[in-house]
Each structure stands twice: as C-alpha cells, then as structure tokens.
C-alpha cells in the first residue's frame, strides 16, 4: 500500500510540474521551420480597426511578449476554428468570425502589427508563414496523407535590428 501511495504521489507531482511548465516543455520539444511567407494584411476594414481600438489599444506594456499575449488572446476570443475553406484576410474575418489555420496566422499577425504601429515599436514585425512542424526534431507532416496536414501555419515575429525570431502558433494558444 505504501508503494502504491508513493507512486500516486510521484505521478501527481509530475502532472503538476508538467502543467505549470507546459509552455516551456512545448517550446523544447516542438519547433517550426518556415517554407515561405503568407500574405501579410494591413487592417483597413472599419469594423476591424474599431474592434482593435475598443479592445486592444489600451495595452500599457510595450514588451513584445505582451503584444504577443494580447494578439493570442484576441485571436482566440474572436475567431472560431473551421477546417473548411475560408477567407484569410483579417478585414473579412472580423465579419465571418471563423477561420482556418491560415486565417488564424494572418489575423494574429495583423493584430500584432497594428499594436506595434500604435505603440510606435518599429523594430518588430509579425509575418504569417507556412511551414513544417517538428516534434523532437522529426517532421510530423511526413506521417499524414491528407492535404490538410501538408503544412502548418504560424506567425514569425522578428526583431529587424537584432534578428531575434519568435515563432508563434495562434491556434495552439
């Protein structure tokens, strides 16, 4: 009975540690490699700009991590995932409120770039990308035959001065 209790305690501790450090663990075992850029849209739709102004422009912190967090939370709050063909332009997604993986990446990039412009942060830029997803260094796309899994969409936020690159997957928030 003592051994079973000890095993359960160890499992519980591992689960708690895994939950607390899930972001760090994910970043250690999953990597993204770009195979090209997607179209990067500027916010021009009055509804989209109004939504940004009402919901996200009051961000006080100008650190890139905060800009990314606001972009992720806004994207997940506004969009619902669909696997079917859909618009990729955030200026149209604001009305449909549904997006596929490409739409998520373009919408997220649009939010980040809008905030970066508003906060006068000129050294960072968000660009939607298509690419490959690697788990522990192994390309996972080779194991799927479906065209849906031929590539993956994400955003790359790059510092134009330092070259620092942050890959962000807005669907996996």
């Amino acid at each position: 009975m003592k051994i079973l209790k000890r095993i359960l305690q160890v499992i519980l501790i591992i689960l708690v540690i895994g939950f607390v450090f899930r972001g760090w663990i994910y970043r250690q075992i999953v990597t993204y490699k770009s195979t090209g850029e997607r179209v990067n849209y500027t916010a021009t739709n009055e509804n989209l700009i109004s939504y940004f102004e009402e919901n996200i422009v009051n961000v006080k912190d100008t650190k890139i991590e905060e800009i990314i967090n606001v972009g992720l939370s806004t994207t997940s709050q506004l969009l619902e995932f669909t696997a079917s063909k859909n618009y990729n332009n955030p200026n149209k997604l604001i009305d449909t409120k549904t997006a596929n993986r490409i739409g998520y990446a373009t919408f997220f990039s649009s939010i980040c770039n809008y905030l970066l412009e508003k906060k006068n942060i000129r050294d960072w830029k968000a660009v939607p990308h298509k690419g490959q997803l690697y788990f522990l260094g192994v390309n996972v796309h080779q194991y799927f035959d479906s065209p849906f899994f031929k590539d993956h969409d994400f955003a790359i936020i790059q510092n134009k001065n330092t070259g620092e690159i942050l890959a962000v997957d807005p669907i996996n928030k």
Side-chain angles (χ1 to χ4, degrees):
M1 190 65 162
K2 275 187 164 184
I3 293 175
L4 181 60
K5 187 175 181 182
R6 178 66 71 180
I7 290 172
L8 289 175
Q9 286 175 337
V10 169
I11 290 172
L12 181 63
I13 290 170
I14 290 171
L15 288 174
V16 168
I17 290 171
F19 179 77
V20 171
F21 294 103
R22 69 186 180 276
W24 181 86
I25 292 168
Y26 180 83
R27 288 186 295 276
Q28 300 309 306
I29 61 176
V30 176
T31 56
Y32 301 87
K33 292 189 182 170
S34 176
T35 59
E37 292 183 11
R38 296 279 191 194
V39 175
N40 202 2
Y41 296 94
T42 303
T44 56
N45 179 305
E46 289 181 24
N47 292 338
L48 182 61
I49 292 170
S50 175
Y51 183 84
F52 287 170
E53 289 293 327
E54 291 171 12
N55 295 287
I56 65 172
V57 95
N58 293 327
V59 173
K60 306 243 185 300
D61 196 347
T62 57
K63 292 181 182 165
I64 193 63
E65 294 81 9
E66 181 61 22
I67 301 286
I68 290 170
N69 286 337
V70 168
L72 287 171
S73 65
T74 304
T75 301
S76 69
Q77 287 171 9
L78 188 73
L79 297 179
E80 184 176 318
F81 183 80
T82 180
S84 62
K85 189 171 178 136
N86 204 342
Y87 293 112
N88 298 329
N89 186 336
N91 295 295
K92 294 181 179 182
L93 293 174
I94 189 69
D95 297 322
T96 66
K97 305 226 183 331
T98 60
N100 57 26
R101 54 192 170 77
I102 301 168
Y104 266 77
T106 59
F107 195 86
F108 170 78
S109 295
S110 178
I111 292 170
C112 288
N113 288 328
Y114 188 85
L115 275 172
L116 291 167
E117 179 72 27
K118 277 294 200 182
K119 299 298 180 186
N120 203 23
I121 304 169
R122 306 258 185 244
D123 49 343
W124 288 94
K125 183 176 182 177
V127 178
H129 280 252
K130 63 181 176 178
Q132 303 291 295
L133 189 65
Y134 289 77
F135 180 76
L136 296 172
V138 177
N139 184 337
V140 299
H141 298 275
Q142 65 185 334
Y143 299 109
F144 299 100
D145 292 328
S146 168
F148 183 79
F149 293 107
K150 78 174 185 179
D151 58 22
H152 192 73
D153 285 84
F154 54 95
I156 289 182
I157 296 95
Q158 183 169 10
N159 187 308
K160 295 180 258 184
N161 297 331
T162 66
E164 181 181 0
I165 293 175
L166 304 169
V168 179
D169 189 347
I171 293 178
N172 290 333
K173 182 206 182 265

